[in-house]
Amino acid sequence: MNFQKIKLLALDVDGVLTDGIIFENAQGELFKNFYAKDGLAINAAQKQGLKVAFITGRGNGIVAYRARELGVPYCFEEVKDKVQVLQQLMDQFGLTAEEVAYMGDDLNDLGAFKLAGVKLAPADAAADVVQRADYVAAAPGGRGAVREVIEKIMRDQGKWSEIVEKNLGSRQ
């Protein structure tokens, strides 16, 4: 799978950016685990020009907070129709399907799969999603699947070495 043309990486959240486990306390507060290595890769890729979007059916502010923390300006919560949101993003940026990758893990992501040119899934995605994915990460959701995909995109675009070099810093 070649990722050279990808300009937008759209991500489901629960099961992709997180491990899919949602903790809820007696007051109704939700807690989710995000993987720091995914976050570093998202931040670095955006600095190299890759647009990243979060699209999730849930909405309680946790995802918006994480998006702000990573500098992701395209965060959509409480989405009932992921296809519509993905199409809006494609229209907004003038992108063709082959320039769009979407990573999802469950049945509610299959509509977005039809629209995206590159369909991605974490290792632990539902069988029907894995079957339709162009690329299945070796890592599970919330444990490096996003990092793995971003590294592949950036390597195919010749940008990963620049990311590494920037993180080496300078010695004086």
Side-chain angles (χ1 to χ4, degrees):
M1 177 99 261
N2 189 308
F3 298 103
Q4 283 183 318
K5 296 181 180 179
I6 300 301
K7 294 181 180 175
L8 169 66
L9 174 61
L11 304 166
D12 176 39
V13 176
D14 296 318
V16 172
L17 281 168
T18 75
D19 58 10
I21 297 171
I22 299 169
F23 298 95
E24 186 172 0
N25 69 17
Q27 289 74 41
E29 293 177 303
L30 297 179
F31 302 90
K32 299 180 184 197
N33 290 324
F34 292 96
Y35 195 56
K37 291 179 183 177
D38 288 343
L40 189 145
I42 288 167
N43 188 271
Q46 289 181 116
K47 289 177 181 173
Q48 293 296 316
L50 182 68
K51 290 178 179 16
V52 178
F54 297 167
I55 304 174
T56 182
R58 291 185 172 274
N60 61 5
I62 294 171
V63 177
Y65 178 84
R66 183 67 172 155
R68 282 191 305 276
E69 188 177 51
L70 297 176
V72 175
Y74 314 105
C75 179
F76 304 89
E77 294 184 279
E78 297 184 37
V79 174
K80 301 296 179 230
D81 186 353
K82 292 181 180 186
V83 175
Q84 180 184 358
V85 171
L86 191 55
Q87 184 65 62
Q88 285 174 332
L89 287 167
M90 290 171 70
D91 292 346
Q92 179 179 346
F93 301 121
L95 301 175
T96 63
E98 67 181 1
E99 296 172 309
V100 177
Y102 181 87
M103 183 176 250
D105 72 306
D106 216 336
L107 300 178
N108 61 340
D109 296 305
L110 292 177
F113 263 31
K114 283 183 165 182
L115 192 56
V118 179
K119 300 136 186 66
L120 310 165
D124 57 345
D128 291 296
V129 174
V130 168
Q131 180 182 24
R132 289 164 177 81
D134 298 313
Y135 179 84
V136 179
R143 295 290 297 158
V146 172
R147 168 67 175 257
E148 180 181 330
V149 165
I150 288 175
E151 276 193 40
K152 288 194 175 297
I153 293 169
M154 293 291 99
R155 285 183 195 281
D156 281 2
Q157 294 180 1
K159 298 175 181 177
W160 186 253
S161 60
E162 187 175 336
I163 290 170
V164 172
E165 289 299 317
K166 283 182 179 180
N167 282 280
L168 286 174
S170 61
R171 294 179 71 177
Q172 307 231 338

